[in-house]
Amino acid sequence: MDCPHCQSQQVVKNGRESLSDGTVLQRYRCKGCSKCFNDRTGTPMARLRTPSSVVATALNGRSEGLGVRATGRLFGASHSTILRWEERLARQADAWSPPAPSGREVTLEGDEVYTRVGENLPPASSEGWTIHFIERQSRYWVSVMAGHKDELLFQRGTQQAWQWAKGCSFIRWFTDGEPRYAKALWDLASVYLALRECPSRYRTRKVWRHGLEVAMKIKGSQGLRRVVWVRPEHPYTAISPLAEVHANHNEAHNAALRRRCSAYRRRQNLYAKTRDGLQRTLDVQRILHNWVRPHGGLGKPTTPAMAIGLCNRLLSTQELLCLRGFQSISC
Ligand SMILES: [Zn+2]
């Protein structure tokens, strides 16, 4: 057990405390910073008296499409309590978002989904745009960003996905025909070639980083689809002719999202009221999707985090609530 305040390993046991639901927590004292803490310090359950099983069941209900108020009525809590529980887990989103295991081959699909936020504004002026990236084989949900559909949103979403993927040896990056994805990525992942490395067919010396290929699928007016490889690839990147350029898995993922996340469901009063609220529910959905929910398409009960190699067993929501992020999983 490391100290959550100063990461020192010099900690000593310092008594126990029991909670009303019978859980006994070990207390510790750090010799480095002389602060006290227990098993739950730094986890979503820190200093919460409600049993973790109740919080876990409530959050599972939320992630299957229940609204905040309906969940509150089910668990005899107020809707603001449910929001606070959700907030506690959402705040751990970074601790549950480790980069991809290095050296892997990944295929990222990017797409955007729209939902209403607050007033019913026309989509162009609404904050209800969310852009998602998922990894194709493992269905790992890499990033999600909510806001106005503008340059900044594409930059932030792309940056989060690139941070995740950049350690991989081979990256395929496929999106729909929205050019702003490629533009944001170009700023992050293009390199200058030395002139002597420049094959004559390159007019420019700037190319994608080695091992990265980027393509867009553009829907034509007659429903005809056409694939555009965006910008020149690095001369040493072997473009695989078999790479299927599509974001089908991401689109299937969007359908699941509309079913599971109440903020996306239509013709109801369940839409998100603010952008921050939407981002919070999405962060929780993403954590549960990656670490807790086995994905049917992956064969025997396997979560996307297991498929991508970040973890080797299933986690429960309750366990997730009592951990300080993926680094504290005992495999
Ligand atoms: Zn300490």
Side-chain angles (χ1 to χ4, degrees):
M1 175 70 65
D2 294 354
C3 169
H5 306 290
C6 69
Q7 276 70 48
S8 160
Q9 292 186 339
Q10 302 269 307
V11 295
V12 288
K13 289 188 178 174
N14 187 25
R16 287 160 169 259
E17 58 187 297
S18 49
L19 304 179
S20 54
D21 66 328
T23 316
V24 178
L25 298 179
Q26 176 67 53
R27 291 192 57 79
Y28 301 88
R29 201 170 62 81
C30 171
K31 285 186 160 179
C33 63
S34 64
K35 283 183 178 158
C36 288
F37 59 95
N38 65 24
D39 294 329
R40 293 207 172 158
T41 307
T43 75
M45 289 302 297
R47 304 169 64 104
L48 201 60
R49 255 173 292 171
T50 317
S52 56
S53 57
V54 174
V55 180
T57 320
L59 293 184
N60 283 340
R62 283 285 291 147
S63 78
E64 290 295 342
L66 274 183
V68 184
R69 282 167 200 269
T71 313
R73 287 190 291 272
L74 265 178
F75 291 89
S78 77
H79 69 280
S80 56
T81 304
I82 305 292
L83 286 180
R84 275 201 304 275
W85 291 349
E86 208 167 271
E87 173 75 51
R88 281 169 171 265
L89 184 53
R91 252 183 276 147
Q92 306 264 323
D94 288 341
W96 288 100
S97 307
S102 57
R104 260 191 78 103
E105 243 189 79
V106 293
T107 304
L108 290 184
E109 297 183 2
D111 198 10
E112 61 270 23
V113 212
Y114 172 72
T115 185
R116 170 181 169 184
V117 167
E119 280 178 78
N120 206 1
L121 297 166
S125 46
S126 164
E127 290 190 298
W129 287 95
T130 43
I131 68 171
H132 303 253
F133 279 90
I134 67 167
E135 199 281 317
R136 183 180 289 174
Q137 277 79 35
S138 63
R139 313 294 205 277
Y140 189 85
W141 189 354
V142 175
S143 76
V144 57
M145 212 46 97
H148 287 289
K149 192 180 185 180
D150 57 13
E151 209 96 324
L152 186 67
L153 182 68
F154 284 98
Q155 276 168 14
R156 287 164 61 217
T158 302
Q159 192 166 19
Q160 201 183 17
W162 179 247
Q163 282 301 328
W164 182 83
K166 67 180 183 186
C168 296
S169 56
F170 203 83
I171 305 161
R172 299 193 187 91
W173 191 281
F174 299 155
T175 62
D176 60 11
E178 170 60 63
R180 280 175 284 188
Y181 285 115
K183 193 165 173 289
L185 186 62
W186 186 248
D187 295 337
L188 296 167
S190 57
V191 292
Y192 278 103
L193 280 181
L195 262 179
R196 60 190 153 73
E197 281 178 358
C198 265
S200 54
R201 66 191 166 105
Y202 291 106
R203 263 174 293 151
T204 158
R205 284 169 57 206
K206 220 175 171 191
V207 295
W208 291 118
R209 194 202 80 171
H210 178 226
L212 170 66
E213 46 180 37
V214 182
M216 299 192 303
K217 188 131 195 174
I218 297 171
K219 212 182 282 175
S221 57
Q222 317 258 291
L224 294 172
R225 286 178 167 260
R226 145 174 96 85
V227 170
V228 178
W229 294 92
V230 192
R231 312 261 194 176
E233 76 279 13
H234 193 281
Y236 301 136
T237 300
I239 288 276
S240 42
L242 291 174
E244 300 166 68
V245 181
H246 60 72
N248 296 354
H249 296 86
N250 203 331
E251 282 164 25
H253 179 73
N254 295 345
L257 190 65
R258 291 205 187 275
R259 191 174 67 244
R260 288 192 164 129
C261 186
S262 70
Y264 279 91
R265 293 202 295 174
R266 290 160 163 173
R267 283 181 241 100
Q268 293 177 11
N269 192 24
L270 291 166
Y271 56 85
K273 307 300 183 284
T274 62
R275 192 200 70 88
D276 289 345
L278 179 60
Q279 184 71 52
R280 182 196 64 237
T281 36
L282 287 168
D283 286 339
V284 170
Q285 286 279 346
R286 188 164 66 89
I287 296 174
L288 297 183
H289 169 92
N290 285 339
W291 299 90
V292 175
R293 203 178 280 145
H295 186 88
L298 298 172
K300 65 174 168 45
T302 306
T303 56
M306 288 160 75
I308 198 90
L310 288 168
C311 173
N312 59 14
R313 63 184 178 90
L314 295 170
L315 296 178
S316 68
T317 309
Q318 191 176 356
E319 210 177 343
L320 205 81
L321 287 170
C322 300
L323 288 171
R324 289 178 199 155
F326 92 103
Q327 277 167 328
S328 44
I329 307 171
S330 51
C331 288

